[in-house]
Amino acid sequence: MFELLTYSDYLLKREILSLFTEILVSLQQHHDLAFSENAHQMPGLYLLLMHPRDEMRTWSMECLSQSGSVNTLEDFARVRPVMERIVGVMEGDHFENEDYNDDDVSCFTRSRTQFWSGFSHFLNLFSPATLTNGVLSFFPDLSGLIVSQIYTRSPVLWQALKCLNIFLENVGTNLWTSGTFSALDVFDALRSVCVPGQVTPPVPDLVKACLHTLLTFVMSCESLDMYQDIRDKAIILLLDIHDHILRPKPSNITSSASSSSSSSSSSTSSTSSSSFSPTSPSSINHSNTLRSSRPPLHKPPRHTQA
């Protein structure tokens, strides 16, 4: 088993992978097979993050979570062939294509969602240095593939947002010198997810998840000449999101006011403070998101938006 995980090309053989899967699933029922040391040096475990079977994906994730990260270029060299195959699958877009039987993709799930979920976990195992000097250096088109999933609101939008956030938090400004797209391309992609007035209505939970990515993105642009333009666009978008999506609906306010008028003045005060408590979930999420930004992102006075 150790040899198969170390020399992962064997797992690309359909018969070997099938036999290996059946044996491992059977052994898991009676033994603890998790690798706690040097798992990050076994390329086969990274392949299994996108395996067709849930048991294999879960097992490889547990093994890699208990091991170290891909911290050095030597570590990256071991997993680079795996990354090449992953990027090839993304570019070929052979998901759900049952007629495509190439051995290079037989080890991967045909579910786009499962594949991207495993890939986001894979990316999260790289240190900032190996993401910058390894992944982006050898695969400059990868970040563009991720952004395109967001811009087109693909079925893996959630997973693509997570992948983009991993790059933004760990690579920062290096993303704009290594990627094949501009910062404005990324802003447009994020805006397409949460801007009001789209044919497909914005999903509040998705918009809230996008806010952190948006703010992290703006911070990564501080060294760019277009930073001022991007910052201003982001502020306007944040206010738009608040006014049209995150702010309580007028009907709720009317209902609350009607309910308050039927009670005594003391209970009115209590009800009102409860209804508009700053500790309500939507208020916490929005205010904390805005307050977590750096000074240049502070919201301007509301009268400027009139």
Side-chain angles (χ1 to χ4, degrees), residues 18-181:
S18 177
L19 182 60
F20 174 74
T21 300
E22 294 304 323
I23 292 175
L24 187 62
V25 170
S26 177
L27 288 174
Q28 280 182 300
Q29 298 175 0
H30 307 286
H31 305 281
D32 180 11
L33 301 178
F35 291 99
S36 58
E37 297 180 3
N38 301 322
H40 63 287
Q41 297 179 354
M42 300 180 186
L45 284 173
Y46 297 98
L47 276 177
L48 298 182
L49 287 172
M50 287 141 282
H51 192 278
R53 292 186 58 165
D54 291 341
E55 303 98 317
M56 301 296 282
R57 293 195 303 274
T58 301
W59 177 74
S60 61
M61 195 174 298
E62 290 175 351
C63 291
L64 291 167
S65 297
Q66 297 174 23
S67 183
S69 301
V70 182
N71 289 317
T72 67
L73 289 179
E74 183 182 357
D75 291 336
F76 174 75
R78 293 190 184 95
V79 301
R80 180 181 167 186
V82 175
M83 181 67 79
E84 289 175 347
R85 298 188 187 283
I86 290 173
V87 173
V89 171
M90 290 178 173
E91 292 175 336
D93 196 26
H94 298 297
F95 302 102
E96 283 94 29
N97 184 359
E98 298 297 337
D99 295 329
Y100 190 80
N101 294 313
D102 193 289
D103 278 347
D104 282 355
V105 300
S106 63
C107 59
F108 295 126
T109 174
R110 295 298 177 90
S111 165
R112 183 180 279 102
T113 302
Q114 291 173 355
F115 183 93
W116 275 83
S117 180
F119 176 64
S120 67
H121 188 82
F122 182 27
L123 272 188
N124 209 31
L125 295 170
F126 288 87
S127 68
T130 49
L131 273 178
T132 303
N133 301 320
V135 177
L136 281 182
S137 294
F138 287 92
F139 305 97
D141 294 335
L142 176 58
S143 49
L145 289 171
I146 294 171
V147 173
S148 68
Q149 300 298 318
I150 299 172
Y151 192 81
T152 59
R153 297 175 67 95
S154 81
V156 294
L157 176 58
W158 286 93
Q159 291 79 12
L161 275 173
K162 183 177 179 181
C163 291
L164 177 60
N165 208 53
I166 290 171
F167 272 119
L168 290 173
E169 289 184 340
N170 292 280
V171 176
T173 56
N174 289 319
L175 185 61
W176 314 124
T177 58
S178 303
T180 56
F181 52 87

